[in-house]
Amino acid sequence: MKFDQPAGINPIDRGRVIGIPHDRIDGAAKVTGTAPYAYERHDAAPNAAYGWIVGSAIAKGRIAAMDLRAAEGAPGVLGVVTHANAGKLGKGSMNTAPLLGGPQIDHYEQAVALVIADTFENARDAAKLVRIDYVADAGKYDLAAESIRGVMPPDSFGSPADSKVGDFDSGFAAAAVTVDQRYTTPDHSHAMMEPHATTAAWNGDRLTLWTSNQMIDWGVGEVAKTLGIPRANVRLVSPYIGGGFGSKLFVRADAVLAALGAKRVGRPVKVAIARHQIPNNTTHRPATIQRIRIGADKHGLIDAIGHEVWSGDLPGGGPETAAMQTRLLYRGPNRMTAHRLVTLNLPEGNAMRAPGEAVGLLALEVAMDELAEACGVDPVELRIRNDVQYDPEAGPQRPFSSRKLVECLRAGADRFGWAKRNPKPGQVRDGRWLVGMGVAAAFRNNVAMKSGARIGVDGAGRVIVETDMTDIGTGSYTIIGQTAAEMLGVTLDQVTVRLGDSRFPASAGSGGQWGANSSTAGVYAAAMALRAMLAEKAGYPADQAQFDDGLVKLGNQSQTLASLAGREGLWAEDSIDFGDLDKRYAQATFGAHFCEVGVDIDTAEIRIRRMGGAFAAGRILNPKSARSQVIGAMTMGVGAALMEALDVDTRFGFFVNHDMAEYLVPVHADIPPQDVLFIEELDDKSSPMKAKGVGELGICGAGAAVANAIYNATGIRLRDYPLTIDKLLKAQAA
Amino acid sequence: MKSFTYERATSVQAAAKAAASVQGARFIAGGTNLLDLMKLQIETPTHLIDVNHLGLDRIEETPEGGLRIGALVRNTDLAADKRVRRDYAVLSRALVAGASGQLRNKATTGGNLLQRTRCPYFYDTRMPCNKRQPGSGCGAMQGMSRSLAILGVSDACIAQHPSDMAVAMRLLDSAVDTIDANGATRSIPIADFHLLPGDTPQRETLLKPGEMITAVTLPKPIGGAHVYRKVRDRASYAFALVSVAAVFGKDGTARFAFGGIGAKPWRVAAADAAAKQGPKAVAEAALTGARTTHHNDFKKLLVERTLASLYRQQEARA
Ligand SMILES: Cc1cc2nc3c(=O)[nH]c(=O)nc-3n(C[C@H](O)[C@H](O)[C@H](O)COP(=O)(O)OP(=O)(O)OC[C@H]3O[C@@H](n4cnc5c(N)ncnc54)[C@H](O)[C@@H]3O)c2cc1C
Ligand code: SF4
């Protein structure tokens, strides 16, 4: 189905199953431990041996010699895979460094060997016996020091690295009020619960990978390319995923090495990347340095806005696109954005939940707070004044498909009690706490991706959906089931949803918050085809048939789905293919975050007291799981504001705090009650579902609201994330 | 993790004997620290002696009016004990400020005293570390040292002692009771129990090879207002940047012990003596000889501020 015109009224608008809060249909399996994850596929590969990855001890250089004898002779060892015996390997187009390193070493902890043994313990033990002589080269690990050598990177996702509208320099120079500040954000680790893990088995030249991957169709292609085998010989199965946040968008060392290991030892092999290896072996969100300049008139109306970003990656890698939202969020005739990419020999940077916006807004939305103060305008009001209903770079001919930022700001402010905020910082005391409130806008671009599905009715009238879409904890099973139920007029418990298998039609996958809208639109397309088939079988005109209560109806005639499907069942397959509506209209999701913090007057300990937000993201398919997504993302925003940081050792070129005891993410005690309001919105230009993504919107701006609240509480403006006790104390003392 | 043999000791004496006679033997209690270190091969014992079933899990009153805490009493049970909560509240508070509920259910009194540093270079076997591999250098000193110690450190090592429990025990002048292979027992004042790194950061306590902790003895209660304040990067489940254990007397006297800043649980007589002069003076006395890096120099100010906060709370109560 081609989607190139705005959606009209369609069966989804009935809203009997869609838009109603539902428990996850996979919830019981997950909480009872019966949902099998990739490393637990004893059912599928009962004979699996265990692989343990050996990671490079240097960040840059090469392997001079490897001695495998001790490892190979250790108890239970079945084989060792290295670059020397793995055969010629390709590199996935989405990987920057090879997943099996050697002789060249590209980053610390890059996999250089897989030791396979009969037990996990034997494999891990023997891995320590692999002797490697390295020749280390000098590398570059310090973003700040290297930033002068930044170059303009190629386009990312079709967007150029730089943009210019009007005359920024003159506009900024002439502005009555200006803000010109530098902000930094550190490297972040995804820190999802389930590590990267794969069980691999060969059947002749056919490979099956039970793995933990967000993007099945990409994954199939990348595995085929890396191993040099036909796509058709690769099957990926990933029905349950314990979180990904972008780190599982790409095939990683677990998958490739499990496949190579299984080949080498002639039996299935499973590999998990150990927790302490994850931060340096896999991808991370790159650190940024950002400069923001905003010029406005004395009422806060923006005349010039500029955002420059420096980030680093391995040679051949890409930038953190942190200035992208600045092209779209606020008005202003004179504009510039620029991304500069620096070569660093740290582990590979890549997407993490809301790449670009998540850290871009940590800077932009603090700069807006600074502008509000400089103009003496309330920060909520300042954002409302600078709202723009069209793409401000392209002009009024490219309006937003829907944009309810102002509604979010107003409704959110109301619910939060924003009016009680004292605009003068450092004034409000509650016992040992200095109390402050902050606001930030939330913005995340909406992306739609082609997505396919197969849908059928079996002889019992049960509806079955199959698509390679993944559920990374987000609730895809449930919204896909809801969509099928709505389209075919059955209840959710009459639908079976099967996901995450490359034998199913290729979907949008889970990434960039495009999954929910795109994959359900794909199910919509397939369901429209099935409805036509069912109507035809019933002898009803397809455009007049009604689908209710398990019946296909025309006037007062009706036939059951079961009888129409017959014993064989009836199946349809289609995909949704998006036209150029996203070119004609800017499509994005919006929101407003509010936060109240307390800062200890003596120790500078920071505690969040309340958080609230209002969000407009098109039709909310399942308000229950959408809320979970948003509060989870707000929590991650708190992490980015207050504690998350991979510490770079610029001598050895690695992330030092590479386990969960040292890389801190928020715990329950850090997170107060969180209030989430969804503003009603249907976006008929986004898809037939009229939905947009919501999985990333919640992190966008959340941390800036925290930062602004800290400023309101203390009068201290910190611009280097995370905002920790030591920085607050030093700023106070200065 | 290297292969190892395992035995369940049948008596305290037999455990100590076995530990001395088998080269590379180790006791295992809750295993929450030892097993993590074994998985990374930071520790590679050849033989484990399980001391969990020896009846060392009781808290008994001593003839002197104190408490004798068996070495295998779990952190959770110790924190919840009525007598501890009433008479040694600082200990109870320190315990619940540590780790997480699950870990405290496993963690033992003896194991907690002996837990090893959280220096990240100690945890990565590819990095230089004098404590893990004597003579290999210190990865942290010129690297990331934000969490590390500023007192009692040496040119060889600046690791912090991470325990919360031990800080309160230091404040309370506890003693560590041990038994050795010959059945000889001794009682080591906690002030002497942990060693400073000097040139031998791999040596962390006075314990001789095979010597086993049987109990920690608390002297009789000292009264006063007991507080434990732990400042860290998140609200729970993180090691201290700075912690202060304190007992305030009615007459303005007080005693203090510090965590997160020392190579061992830190206590200085001069700090107690300065109690009446207020937090600044106490901090100054406590921090005498501090040696900082540019990552952890904030700890000096944070000690003072944490003390100020405690004084403020005391005044509010008075
Ligand atoms: C993620 C994490 C967070 C943590 N956070 C904190 C925190 O915030 N604050 C804090 O204080 N602690 C914290 N801890 C540490 C925790 O308190 C210790 O791991 C625990 O107390 C160790 O006790 P155990 O009984 O498990 O010791 P084990 O691991 O069994 O043993 C530790 C050492 O003591 C030796 N040993 C044990 N018993 C005896 C004995 N009776 N005689 C002689 N030697 C003995 C062992 O041989 C071993 O060398 C944390 C731990 C983890 C994993
Ligand atoms: S501070 Fe001590 S534990 Fe840390 S690296 Fe240096 S020697 Fe090792």
Side-chain angles (χ1 to χ4, degrees):
Chain A
M1 178 184 284
K2 188 105 187 151
F3 182 73
D4 51 9
Q5 291 303 322
I9 298 284
N10 69 36
I12 293 297
D13 291 314
R14 297 196 298 183
R16 292 179 193 171
V17 195
I18 282 288
I20 312 292
H22 288 285
D23 290 346
R24 274 160 210 268
I25 60 180
D26 51 329
K30 281 183 173 165
V31 298
T32 55
T34 51
Y37 287 80
Y39 203 72
E40 301 160 349
R41 293 309 296 265
H42 318 292
D43 58 327
N47 187 32
Y50 296 80
W52 182 270
I53 293 173
V54 179
S56 169
I58 62 165
K60 187 168 187 293
R62 64 189 172 81
I63 294 175
M66 273 181 126
D67 182 352
L68 306 181
R69 282 168 300 178
E72 282 170 343
V77 170
L78 302 169
V80 181
V81 176
T82 69
H83 74 276
N85 63 24
K88 194 171 152 13
L89 294 179
K91 185 163 72 66
S93 55
M94 296 172 202
N95 297 130
T96 309
L99 295 174
L100 176 61
Q104 182 181 312
I105 297 297
D106 302 284
H107 63 84
Y108 193 76
E109 201 80 78
Q110 184 179 25
V112 291
L114 183 79
V115 178
I116 305 142
D118 56 347
T119 67
F120 174 79
E121 287 75 13
N122 278 339
R124 183 175 60 187
D125 202 4
K128 282 272 181 198
L129 301 175
V130 174
R131 290 281 154 261
I132 306 175
D133 293 331
Y134 297 97
V135 180
D137 291 341
K140 300 192 160 71
Y141 310 113
D142 186 340
L143 174 63
E146 295 300 318
S147 59
I148 42 164
R149 278 182 278 279
V151 297
M152 186 169 148
D155 296 5
S156 19
F157 291 103
S159 297
D162 289 10
S163 69
K164 271 198 169 82
V165 171
D167 179 352
F168 172 79
D169 289 333
S170 317
F172 185 71
V177 185
T178 58
V179 169
D180 179 356
Q181 290 295 352
R182 186 177 169 280
Y183 306 83
T184 64
T185 64
D187 298 284
H188 288 152
S189 190
H190 303 80
M192 66 286 151
M193 288 275 277
E194 183 202 19
H196 305 72
T198 300
T199 303
W202 291 87
N203 183 359
D205 55 5
R206 293 179 170 266
L207 171 67
T208 304
L209 298 174
W210 293 271
T211 188
S212 187
N213 191 289
Q214 300 173 220
M215 301 292 296
I216 301 302
D217 192 52
W218 288 4
V220 169
E222 295 280 275
V223 169
K225 187 164 181 215
T226 308
L227 299 179
I229 59 177
R231 261 189 77 106
N233 289 5
V234 179
R235 181 177 170 209
L236 250 62
V237 188
S238 201
Y240 297 105
I241 298 166
F245 303 124
S247 77
K248 296 172 182 169
L249 287 169
F250 319 108
V251 168
R252 298 297 315 171
D254 56 309
V256 167
L257 287 172
L260 292 170
K263 180 129 254 181
R264 183 151 192 89
V265 303
R267 70 189 248 199
V269 166
K270 57 179 177 175
V271 178
I273 303 181
R275 181 62 72 187
H276 66 270
Q277 297 176 325
I278 290 176
N280 286 293
N281 176 274
T282 73
T283 61
H284 65 277
R285 188 204 301 283
T288 65
I289 298 170
Q290 303 182 44
R291 181 186 187 195
I292 295 187
R293 284 173 290 170
I294 312 179
D297 72 11
K298 64 182 197 298
H299 309 291
L301 223 51
I302 297 174
D303 192 49
I305 185 162
H307 193 164
E308 292 153 273
V309 180
W310 291 261
S311 65
D313 203 355
L314 288 168
E320 180 67 25
T321 54
M324 290 298 181
Q325 76 284 315
T326 308
R327 299 179 182 174
L328 290 160
L329 190 48
Y330 297 117
R331 76 176 295 280
N334 303 302
R335 324 177 63 89
M336 66 84 63
T337 64
H339 296 93
R340 290 294 172 267
L341 181 60
V342 170
T343 298
L344 294 179
N345 303 103
L346 289 170
E348 162 168 353
N350 216 316
M352 177 168 149
R353 200 176 201 174
E357 282 97 328
V359 289
L361 287 164
L362 283 173
L364 178 62
E365 286 302 284
V366 171
M368 286 297 281
D369 206 58
E370 303 197 44
L371 179 66
E373 189 180 41
C375 301
V377 177
D378 176 83
V380 170
E381 175 57 27
L382 179 80
R383 288 169 173 88
I384 291 172
R385 278 185 200 171
N386 285 292
D387 186 51
V388 54
Q389 290 292 318
Y390 54 83
D391 170 350
E393 285 195 347
Q397 61 276 21
R398 186 171 185 245
F400 278 96
S401 57
S402 60
R403 171 171 166 131
K404 295 201 169 170
L405 174 61
V406 171
E407 290 84 341
C408 290
L409 285 161
R410 291 220 162 97
D414 245 25
R415 266 164 91 98
F416 198 73
W418 180 256
K420 291 199 210 89
R421 170 180 178 268
N422 187 331
K424 199 162 166 225
Q427 303 300 307
V428 182
R429 268 288 285 278
D430 177 10
R432 56 183 254 228
W433 302 100
L434 282 164
V435 179
M437 286 192 211
V439 64
F443 172 95
R444 173 74 177 139
N445 227 7
N446 185 58
V447 176
M449 297 267 277
K450 182 175 176 174
S451 196
R454 180 152 65 215
I455 184 165
V457 180
D458 70 9
R462 227 185 138 66
V463 174
I464 299 155
V465 194
E466 295 177 340
T467 159
D468 83 1
M469 177 62 189
T470 48
D471 188 323
I472 59 174
T474 41
S476 312
Y477 276 101
T478 312
I479 53 171
I480 284 174
Q482 288 172 263
T483 306
E486 191 77 79
M487 293 300 290
L488 293 171
V490 298
T491 53
L492 185 53
D493 58 2
Q494 288 170 280
V495 182
T496 300
V497 181
R498 298 186 187 131
L499 299 183
D501 189 327
S502 57
R503 290 189 172 165
F504 302 150
S507 73
S510 301
Q513 84 169 11
W514 62 61
N517 180 45
S518 305
S519 71
T520 54
V523 175
Y524 172 94
M528 286 305 274
L530 183 62
R531 282 166 63 111
M533 287 164 72
L534 287 162
E536 190 187 308
K537 262 208 140 171
Y540 307 153
D543 57 343
Q544 286 170 44
Q546 297 286 317
F547 290 75
D548 284 322
D549 309 324
L551 301 172
V552 186
K553 298 182 189 167
L554 184 72
N556 44 22
Q557 311 172 47
S558 71
Q559 301 181 52
T560 65
L561 290 178
S563 65
L564 289 169
R567 246 186 308 159
E568 254 84 277
L570 207 57
W571 285 87
E573 184 175 329
D574 198 1
S575 61
I576 191 91
D577 213 344
F578 294 91
D580 68 347
L581 281 170
D582 64 336
K583 308 249 158 8
R584 279 149 60 197
Y585 298 91
Q587 296 187 9
T589 56
F590 295 88
H593 287 283
F594 295 85
C595 176
E596 182 181 290
V597 303
V599 179
D600 189 289
I601 45 167
D602 293 306
T603 62
E605 290 159 284
I606 302 161
R607 294 284 182 274
I608 314 244
R609 294 157 65 102
R610 290 190 299 135
M611 293 185 92
F615 304 91
R619 188 196 303 276
I620 300 302
L621 303 170
N622 180 357
K624 188 165 182 182
S625 51
R627 177 177 180 278
S628 293
Q629 282 301 297
V630 172
I631 62 175
M634 284 160 86
T635 302
M636 221 165 178
V638 170
L642 299 183
M643 62 193 84
E644 284 190 53
L646 287 166
D647 299 325
V648 181
D649 185 313
T650 54
R651 304 162 304 163
F652 297 112
F654 78 124
F655 300 128
V656 180
N657 51 338
H658 51 63
D659 64 36
M660 295 293 290
E662 302 292 328
Y663 183 84
L664 300 189
V665 298
V667 294
H668 281 93
D670 293 299
I671 303 300
Q674 295 166 312
D675 178 56
V676 174
L677 174 72
F678 288 113
I679 302 285
E680 218 163 292
E681 183 181 78
L682 296 180
D683 190 332
D684 61 357
K685 285 133 198 133
S686 72
S687 87
M689 303 303 293
K690 302 174 187 168
K692 291 188 275 202
V694 76
E696 298 184 334
L697 179 60
I699 191 176
C700 298
V706 176
N708 293 337
I710 292 171
Y711 176 73
N712 184 240
T714 62
I716 293 170
R717 184 71 77 181
L718 296 178
R719 300 182 184 89
D720 297 308
Y721 291 95
L723 314 181
T724 47
I725 288 169
D726 46 333
K727 292 175 192 165
L728 257 184
L729 283 180
K730 278 185 185 169
Q732 263 174 5
Chain B
M1 184 179 287
K2 289 224 159 134
S3 295
F4 56 89
T5 50
Y6 169 89
E7 75 173 278
R8 207 176 250 204
T10 49
S11 72
V12 170
Q13 175 105 43
K17 207 169 181 144
S21 56
V22 185
Q23 184 80 23
R26 282 293 204 148
F27 302 111
I28 180 159
T32 59
N33 191 218
L34 183 59
L35 290 176
D36 278 359
L37 296 170
M38 286 170 65
K39 289 174 190 170
L40 296 164
Q41 291 195 16
I42 294 163
E43 301 224 22
T44 51
T46 56
H47 182 64
L48 289 186
I49 302 159
D50 187 338
V51 293
N52 277 288
H53 311 277
L54 302 177
L56 296 175
D57 54 356
R58 284 187 287 272
I59 305 172
E60 291 157 346
E61 279 147 46
T62 64
E64 293 77 28
L67 285 181
R68 190 164 191 278
I69 303 159
L72 274 291
V73 172
R74 307 287 153 179
N75 286 179
T76 298
D77 296 329
L78 182 56
D81 185 88
K82 267 200 198 118
R83 293 159 296 183
V84 173
R85 291 177 56 183
R86 185 188 59 218
D87 298 329
Y88 307 97
V90 64
L91 176 57
S92 188
R93 294 194 167 120
L95 281 160
V96 297
S100 67
Q102 289 96 325
L103 283 163
R104 295 195 297 269
N105 289 343
K106 282 300 265 181
T108 65
T109 307
N112 192 318
L113 280 179
L114 295 177
Q115 66 173 292
R116 307 200 67 189
T117 184
R118 306 306 293 203
C119 170
Y121 295 86
F122 175 74
Y123 268 84
D124 191 328
T125 51
R126 290 160 292 189
M127 288 293 135
C129 170
N130 288 324
K131 186 187 275 299
R132 178 168 33 74
Q133 204 183 336
S136 62
C138 171
M141 219 168 287
Q142 310 293 327
M144 303 305 300
S145 53
R146 181 170 174 272
S147 60
L148 301 187
I150 60 174
L151 287 160
V153 298
S154 71
D155 287 341
C157 178
I158 58 169
Q160 87 284 36
H161 193 277
S163 172
D164 292 296
M165 179 195 83
V167 175
M169 285 179 169
R170 176 75 186 83
L171 184 81
L172 295 169
D173 288 331
S174 318
V176 183
D177 301 344
T178 68
I179 183 168
D180 71 12
N182 306 318
T185 60
R186 61 172 171 160
S187 179
I188 309 168
I190 195 164
D192 305 332
F193 181 78
H194 292 103
L195 301 176
L196 293 179
D199 296 332
T200 53
Q202 70 278 17
R203 291 195 55 222
E204 294 175 355
T205 68
L206 269 189
L207 292 179
K208 295 173 297 188
E211 190 172 2
M212 177 180 159
I213 301 177
T214 51
V216 171
T217 304
L218 303 178
K220 68 177 198 304
I222 54 168
H226 289 221
V227 286
Y228 188 77
R229 181 70 177 279
K230 181 177 179 182
V231 181
R232 45 188 150 174
D233 284 318
R234 65 182 172 195
S236 173
Y237 198 31
F239 290 94
L241 294 170
V242 163
S243 72
V244 181
V247 173
F248 288 92
K250 286 220 168 62
D251 53 358
T253 59
R255 56 162 94 175
F256 305 95
F258 302 86
I261 55 172
K264 63 184 210 171
W266 205 252
R267 181 144 181 238
V268 221
D272 295 2
K276 288 190 174 161
Q277 298 161 54
K280 224 181 162 80
V282 173
E284 206 164 292
L287 292 167
T288 306
R291 195 173 124 181
T292 59
T293 68
H294 73 280
H295 286 129
N296 68 17
D297 57 354
F298 74 95
K299 288 192 175 189
K300 289 170 74 173
L301 182 54
L302 189 53
V303 166
E304 187 192 319
R305 294 305 194 82
T306 309
L307 284 162
S309 182
L310 293 187
Y311 270 83
R312 197 192 291 277
Q313 273 169 285
Q314 280 317 113
E315 280 157 25
R317 253 182 229 136

